[in-house]
Amino acid sequence: MNKLSSALPKFAFDNSFSRSLEGCFVEWNAATADAPKLLQLNHELAKELGLDPAILETDAGTSIFSGNVAPEGAAPMAQAYAGHQFGGFSPQLGDGRALLLGEVIDIYGRRRDLQLKGSGRTPFSRGGDGKSALGPVLREYLIGEAMHALGVPTTRALAAVSTGEMVRRETPLPGGILTRVAASHMRVGTFQFFAARGDEEKVRQLADYAIARHHPAAADAESPYLAFLEAVAEAQASLVAHWMSIGFIHGVMNTDNMTISGETIDYGPCAFMDSYAPDTVFSSIDTQGRYAYGNQPDILGWNLARLAETLIPLIDPDKDRAIETLTDVINTIPARYDAHWAGRMRRKIGLTTELSGDVGLIDDLLTTMHQGGADFTLTFRHLAAAVRGNAIPLQGQFTELSAINAWLETWRARLAEEDIDAETRADAMDRINPLYIPRNHKVEEALDAAVDLEDMGPFEALLEFVSHPFDPVDDQDNYAAPGPQTNLPYQTFCGT
Ligand code: AMP
Ligand code: MG
């Protein structure tokens, strides 16, 4: 039962998108949910947004998170966007099952979107019901919070409710709604929507708005729109490098799922890799492996080239010259990505300085891991123990020892070139190499209990571990270990 209270939550709304960008959205209201129940509330995030968790835990909070009541100051809308999905262009996607309630200014002065996901049909729903099943809602909550704790820029989850109704999928499933918090919901696809309609003026307005909101330094550049593309490229290159450094596979890197802010968005069929293998794919719909782990850096460039195309008319009246200028920026993406990746990977193997052979050393480790079937997360985590003098946990990740032992020898020689004591080095490694990631078998266990048994216990236990991914808890190896090996590859489903 939800607690009753006469106090209403006070959201500090200031809705700049609806004020500034008429024509980029449709005002809309959520469907009503018959018997909503608040299953999860993010207290820390609520406080960050200037909200009182105790009030949000009452019926007043449940009414808002289920879409039954729009909070005071909200301007609910469905946003328009397009997107390349698995390489093919869809000129009209948009919020088909989500509503932006508005923007809240948080206690640090940051502007943050508040969105309901799964709140019913909108004019962008096409054939869909506008609803979400509860499992994917909880999955997005869990993985988003894990990513946040890992330091990855990401949208976050403020609340999850069950709606009390069943949604029709292959089988009927309990429905749910996620309340999502984001720097904004502007996507590459937002620009594509208007560019595809030849609405140059709208693309310019979007770019001006995005510069002011996300990349203000670009406004002072000689060519603000080019600087804007550079800023998005830099943010996304850093993001994808971060993903790669923790074995994260997004699963649906369509251009509508790539933000302008540089936050990870839309946790659908995503997952963390267990054994290192660059061709790992989890998504059941990614039959060609387009969004395999090892393809993510290339897709980054591909998607940003689609953003660049939308900016052509803003750059130069001479189209060829505009394309040339924009292409120069797109061509910088591999180097930007490589720099971010090498920086992270160096720190993961304990290096504090840069030498020319470092990338080769990291590549050799990855090759050895691939050949030895090593677990991605635990291999890096156990490197710190090797620094402290115990290589056995690390060696335990490999089916065959000669290759990893040879690598360890080269690595130790490289470490010896730095004047840093072992404990300081190992501690720093423990702050970049997580012990607890949302292991696929643990995620499934938590979602099954929540959805099938209405037992949130396993979900909350797992959430606690992945919210402190670097801090070991005694006797809890089962949260750190990969699941039992099966012959079948783990598959995630889009869960729309
Ligand atoms: P996604 O795969 O979540 O990135 O969504 C791609 C597009 O499909 C977006 O335009 C969504 O709004 C839309 N969509 C996904 N699921 C539904 C649904 N159940 N009802 C209506 N539209 C949906
Ligand atoms: Mg999406």
Side-chain angles (χ1 to χ4, degrees):
M1 277 297 285
N2 299 305
K3 290 173 234 160
L4 288 169
S5 164
S6 53
L8 291 177
K10 291 211 181 355
F11 294 79
F13 278 116
D14 178 62
N15 303 325
S16 67
F17 195 93
S18 66
R19 270 201 308 271
S20 322
L21 290 166
E22 199 175 318
C24 299
F25 59 89
V26 181
E27 287 176 29
W28 203 255
N29 288 307
T32 50
D34 292 341
K37 220 166 116 180
L38 181 62
L39 296 185
Q40 201 63 211
L41 175 71
N42 190 332
H43 286 233
E44 176 216 317
L45 183 56
K47 287 181 208 155
E48 223 173 274
L49 295 171
L51 299 163
D52 181 352
I55 296 178
L56 293 177
E57 276 182 331
T58 67
D59 281 353
T62 308
S63 301
I64 290 168
F65 298 136
S66 61
N68 284 349
V69 172
E72 197 186 321
M77 64 161 84
Q79 291 182 307
Y81 56 84
H84 277 86
Q85 300 184 302
F86 293 91
F89 187 60
S90 299
Q92 179 162 322
L93 293 167
D95 287 335
R97 55 159 165 176
L99 283 183
L100 180 68
L101 293 179
E103 301 143 37
V104 169
I105 309 299
D106 76 9
I107 58 171
Y108 305 111
R110 293 175 301 189
R111 179 176 296 279
R112 309 189 62 183
D113 272 14
L114 211 63
Q115 193 204 56
L116 299 180
K117 188 169 173 186
S119 53
R121 287 181 55 79
T122 77
F124 299 107
S125 296
R126 292 165 292 156
D129 62 0
K131 304 283 169 94
S132 287
L134 180 59
V137 164
L138 293 174
R139 189 182 167 80
E140 176 155 356
Y141 193 120
L142 192 64
I143 300 196
E145 288 307 294
M147 293 288 271
H148 172 71
L150 289 164
V152 184
T154 177
T155 65
R156 295 191 63 190
L158 176 62
V161 298
S162 58
T163 57
E165 61 187 31
M166 302 299 276
V167 295
R168 246 185 284 170
R169 295 295 179 264
E170 274 169 32
T171 56
L173 297 169
I177 299 176
L178 180 76
T179 303
R180 180 159 81 176
V181 175
S184 87
H185 285 82
M186 297 184 87
R187 309 144 191 269
V188 170
T190 314
F191 287 78
Q192 290 182 288
F193 183 92
F194 296 98
R197 285 158 180 77
D199 193 342
E200 191 181 311
E201 197 38 48
K202 206 49 106 190
V203 175
R204 185 185 302 276
Q205 282 174 25
L206 281 169
D208 289 342
Y209 177 90
I211 288 171
R213 185 163 172 181
H214 296 301
H215 305 291
D220 301 325
E222 195 184 322
S223 171
Y225 301 119
L226 206 58
F228 165 65
L229 179 64
E230 280 176 8
V232 178
E234 185 61 21
Q236 282 291 343
S238 166
L239 180 70
V240 175
H242 209 151
W243 291 354
M244 298 299 281
S245 78
I246 52 172
F248 176 76
I249 305 170
H250 183 282
V252 228
M253 283 179 77
N254 293 333
T255 57
D256 55 302
N257 293 337
M258 184 176 266
T259 59
I260 297 302
S261 69
E263 283 184 344
T264 314
I265 197 169
D266 273 0
Y267 294 96
C270 60
F272 285 77
M273 186 165 58
D274 291 324
S275 294
Y276 174 68
D279 60 354
T280 306
V281 179
F282 289 120
S283 170
S284 60
I285 53 173
D286 191 3
T287 48
Q288 307 286 310
R290 179 181 172 88
Y291 299 138
Y293 172 80
N295 278 357
Q296 296 183 124
D298 285 345
I299 296 293
L300 159 79
W302 195 91
N303 285 354
L304 291 170
R306 307 289 78 76
L307 176 64
E309 283 163 2
T310 72
L311 302 175
I312 291 169
L314 276 51
I315 297 293
D316 199 309
D318 178 336
K319 191 175 170 185
D320 291 337
R321 256 204 330 245
I323 291 173
E324 209 175 302
T325 318
L326 288 160
T327 305
D328 287 344
V329 174
I330 294 300
N331 287 340
T332 66
I333 292 170
R336 289 176 193 273
Y337 167 82
D338 286 347
H340 285 290
W341 181 85
R344 284 201 173 277
M345 297 307 286
R346 264 197 196 92
R347 285 166 56 208
K348 284 175 77 74
I349 66 166
L351 302 180
T352 56
T353 55
E354 278 184 44
L355 287 181
S356 58
D358 294 347
V359 169
L361 185 66
I362 295 160
D363 283 340
D364 286 347
L365 174 60
L366 291 170
T367 304
T368 308
M369 287 165 63
H370 191 193
Q371 287 165 353
D375 183 78
F376 186 88
T377 304
L378 291 181
T379 298
F380 285 103
R381 180 72 185 191
H382 292 328
L383 276 174
V387 168
R388 293 187 179 103
N390 178 12
I392 292 169
L394 174 76
Q395 288 163 328
Q397 295 304 313
F398 293 82
T399 49
E400 188 275 330
L401 286 184
S402 63
I404 187 62
N405 284 343
W407 185 84
L408 283 170
E409 206 168 306
T410 316
W411 174 61
R412 287 198 182 101
R414 171 66 182 87
L415 296 184
E417 290 180 46
E418 296 184 355
D419 184 21
I420 174 171
D421 70 279
E423 199 45 46
T424 306
R425 188 196 303 276
D427 285 350
M429 292 166 78
D430 279 345
R431 287 193 299 275
I432 193 169
N433 293 316
L435 179 58
Y436 303 113
I437 52 159
R439 292 283 180 180
N440 303 319
H441 65 121
K442 283 286 172 192
V443 173
E444 295 308 317
E445 189 182 291
L447 300 189
D448 286 351
V451 175
D452 300 340
L453 311 172
E454 298 185 28
D455 174 8
M456 291 295 287
F459 179 94
E460 283 168 7
L462 180 56
L463 181 61
E464 180 62 24
F465 277 95
V466 300
S467 297
H468 302 94
F470 304 107
D471 308 336
V473 180
D474 285 344
D475 305 321
Q476 293 294 347
D477 287 353
N478 64 327
Y479 279 94
Q485 298 284 338
T486 63
N487 293 327
L488 295 171
Y490 179 68
Q491 277 211 329
T492 53
F493 297 87
C494 220
T496 50

